[in-house]
Amino acid sequence: MDGQSNLSQWINIRPITLDDFENVLAWSKDDSFCEANGWEIDRSSEELYKWWHNCVNHPAEDFIRMGITLNGKIIGYADMACIKGNTAELGIAIGESRLWGQGIGSASAMCMMEYASKKLGISIFNAETHEANARSRKMLENLGFIEISRKGSEEYLGMRGQRIQYRLILMGKPE
């Protein structure tokens, strides 16, 4: 890959499937991924399979999870949560921590927002991250998200800190 500007040709989103489970299981063995995403470390494969099976077969009405692929291989997932009218909350998880910091999250977020805008009519995107998650904060800000509040706290990588809420309103769309 020749830098972030070319990533969009290699990154895609697609519906998640049960066939993705082998990759999901591999992510669950990456302690960095688990700690960053609030996954239990050393989770049993049976419990993880039940969770993934539920994600694939019983999605919530106000929630969509899509697989993120790089050159056709699933490497993470993108979520639209709390979908209500033209508003939703964006979430990105890159399952292979060796790929972090390469712009893949940004390219994935752009893919998911384009999908949500075209297919679901979403024009107001919310996002939330932990104050200590510098990569996530930088990604959101580079995408044009604006910090709107600092409410709540949670643990991230063993450190308790504030949650930061962000919003991006697509141009040309009413609030």
Side-chain angles (χ1 to χ4, degrees), residues 14-24 49 52 56 74:
R14 62 152 174 82
I16 57 172
T17 69
L18 287 179
D19 291 339
D20 297 326
F21 180 69
E22 187 176 312
N23 296 89
V24 174
Y49 182 81
W52 190 251
V56 171
I74 191 164

Side-chain angles (χ1 to χ4, degrees), residues 95-111:
E96 297 185 29
S97 61
R98 67 180 179 80
L99 298 174
W100 293 356
Q102 299 180 30
I104 292 170
S106 294
S108 301
M110 288 188 295
C111 279

Side-chain angles (χ1 to χ4, degrees), residues 112-131:
M112 188 60 166
M113 290 188 303
E114 182 179 343
Y115 171 86
S117 176
K118 288 180 178 175
K119 301 285 187 189
L120 307 172
I122 304 298
S123 59
I124 301 172
F125 294 90
N126 295 314
E128 183 174 86
T129 193
H130 190 278
E131 68 181 333

Side-chain angles (χ1 to χ4, degrees), residues 8-127:
S8 59
Q9 66 185 345
W10 309 108
I11 299 288
N12 287 297
I13 59 168
R14 62 152 174 82
I16 57 172
T17 69
L18 287 179
D19 291 339
D20 297 326
F21 180 69
E22 187 176 312
N23 296 89
V24 174
L25 185 59
W27 307 337
S28 77
K29 297 179 186 325
D30 181 334
D31 288 355
S32 295
F33 171 81
C34 291
E35 289 172 355
N37 288 283
W39 283 30
E40 181 183 326
I41 292 178
D42 295 326
R43 194 172 183 185
S44 79
S45 60
E46 293 81 16
E47 181 187 346
L48 189 64
Y49 182 81
K50 285 179 188 174
W51 171 77
W52 190 251
H53 185 276
N54 192 54
C55 288
V56 171
N57 292 310
H58 304 288
E61 229 175 83
D62 65 344
F63 180 87
I64 293 174
R65 173 162 288 158
M66 301 289 279
I68 300 168
T69 63
L70 173 63
N71 292 325
K73 179 189 177 204
I74 191 164
I75 58 159
Y77 55 85
D79 297 336
M80 280 291 133
C82 305
I83 301 168
K84 186 174 182 183
N86 66 337
T87 304
E89 183 173 328
L90 172 69
I92 300 290
I94 304 301
E96 297 185 29
S97 61
R98 67 180 179 80
L99 298 174
W100 293 356
Q102 299 180 30
I104 292 170
S106 294
S108 301
M110 288 188 295
C111 279
M112 188 60 166
M113 290 188 303
E114 182 179 343
Y115 171 86
S117 176
K118 288 180 178 175
K119 301 285 187 189
L120 307 172
I122 304 298
S123 59
I124 301 172
F125 294 90
N126 295 314

